[in-house]
């Protein structure tokens, strides 16, 4: 097969002074940060759906993307050729991972068995390309939101046959993820929610979601897939309300259905902002429950109210993300998955490179900045000192569960008015962060 990107050679690190647009200025894969290589810290992944299936269509216009390797068909043959294009791209970019939905990589057939056959035919090529390049699967997932059969949802559909169909599709998707040695498997409930409560039995639907995930866990154990399952929170879009709306809602759901040991969260920036949270908030909530698994790296636009899935180019964002990830001890099975698409106006193949380079450099810089802030220690010390009253005396006793309201009343009666509050110093701290950006 002729090269899809003949004019582009391997993207390498040239350092911050380089003026070559097709190089990394920040991402230096083997450079050690806090004793670990940038490559292992960041574990970058390319998403198949945006980068190789995205056409640049939006609600008001058709696709604009120029992709010379496409022949306009959705055939298995085209799907196999596209895999080779994808791996050429990822090899040149130097990313260690990719992620896909079943229906991104292979076409939906006229029946479930035909769809499964199509998938097998493409998985063969994915496997060969993984072996040829050493690029690995970060996670697989099933697309349970595009086909009309999922109009009312998949595992939360009012139609039990749809639940069964979705189960069969997820079963197959877990099997191929396992076959491709995927590091994990993700559940994003695209239509697992409602558009009106007038027609919705919410309690029953959420129960069905719990049952579905239990079946998935059983099946994973049955076939010996040991990678983690991730749930990806998102509050809405395409539904008005999605049941796994944010990290806290997911954690509550997992706890309620006794699934907390079997799932971690895959946190996505633009979903956090749609939920009215910052990415760092969602990461902190997940990490506090020891459930931060992986991240979908993108960003939204403050002036657009939907999931615009832009490449993350905001240094403050990546610095915050890396501060939390470093503090929790780093990603293990998870990665930094670019669930991001080039703008409709960035329609040339080379824009795919520019976009990923931008995301990778911004994350690499965020990693460096976060490590420098940690090494400096002033921020960490400030937070630690802010809670110093808990390290001894009454605070220590409260944390140890040794006192109750009566002892605290006795303590409070002796205090007089409280005069030992200290300043939160928000503006000082914001300026401190700026020192490192
Ligand atoms: C959509 C989601 C989706 C998941 C995978 O908003 O981000 O792309 O990551 O199903
Ligand atoms: Ni996502
Ligand atoms: Ni998304």
């Amino acid at each position: 097969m002729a090269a899809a990107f003949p004019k582009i050679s391997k993207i390498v690190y040239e350092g911050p002074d380089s003026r070559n647009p097709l190089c990394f200025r920040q991402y230096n894969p083997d450079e050690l940060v806090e004793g670990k290589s940038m490559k292992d810290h960041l574990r970058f992944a390319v998403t198949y759906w945006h980068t190789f299936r995205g056409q640049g269509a939006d609600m008001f216009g058709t696709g604009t993307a120029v992709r010379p390797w496409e022949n306009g068909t959705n055939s298995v043959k085209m799907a196999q050729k596209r895999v080779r294009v994808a791996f050429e791209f990822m090899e040149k970019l130097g990313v260690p991972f990719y992620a896909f939905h079943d229906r991104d990589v292979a076409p939906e057939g006229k029946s479930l068995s035909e769809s499964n056959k199509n998938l097998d035919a493409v998985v063969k090529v994915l496997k060969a390309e993984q072996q040829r390049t050493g690029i690995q699967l970060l996670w697989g997932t099933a697309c349970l939101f595009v086909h009309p059969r999922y109009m009312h949802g998949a595992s939360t559909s009012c139609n039990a046959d749809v639940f069964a169909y979705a189960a069969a599709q997820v079963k197959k998707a877990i099997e191929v993820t396992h076959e491709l040695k995927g590091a994990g498997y993700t559940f994003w409930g695209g239509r697992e929610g409602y558009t009106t409560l007038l027609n919705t039995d919410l309690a029953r639907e959420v129960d069905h979601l719990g049952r579905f995930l239990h079946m998935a866990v059983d099946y994973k154990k049955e076939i010996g897939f040991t990678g983690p399952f991730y749930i990806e929170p998102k509050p809405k879009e395409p539904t008005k309300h999605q049941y796994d709306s944010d990290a806290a809602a997911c954690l509550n759901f997992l706890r309620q259905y006794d699934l907390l040991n079997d799932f971690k969260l895959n946190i996505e920036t633009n979903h956090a902002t749609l939920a009215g949270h910052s990415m760092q908030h969602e990461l902190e909530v997940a990490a506090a429950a020891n459930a931060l698994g992986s991240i979908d790296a993108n960003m939204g636009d403050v002036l657009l109210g939907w999931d615009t899935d832009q490449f993350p180019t905001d240094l403050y964002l990546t610095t915050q993300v890396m501060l939390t990830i470093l503090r929790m001890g780093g990603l293990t099975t998870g990665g930094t998955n670019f669930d991001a698409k080039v703008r409709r106006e960035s329609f040339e193949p080379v824009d795919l490179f520019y976009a990923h380079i931008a995301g990778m450099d911004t994350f690499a810089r965020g990693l460096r900045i976060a490590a420098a802030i940690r090494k400096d220690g002033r921020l960490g010390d400030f937070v630690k000192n802010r809670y110093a009253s808990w390290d001894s005396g009454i605070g220590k006793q409260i944390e140890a569960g040794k006192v109750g309201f009566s002892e605290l009343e006795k303590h409070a009666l002796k205090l007089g008015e409280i005069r030992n509050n200290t300043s939160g110093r928000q503006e000082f701290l914001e300026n401190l962060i700026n020192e490192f950006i």
Side-chain angles (χ1 to χ4, degrees), residues 49-50 139 188 232 266 268 271 296 298 307 309 337 339:
W49 53 98
H50 285 311
W139 47 259
W188 169 62
E232 184 176 320
N266 178 40
E268 177 166 326
H271 298 181
D296 269 12
N298 62 19
D307 196 12
D309 286 341
N337 178 44
D339 194 353

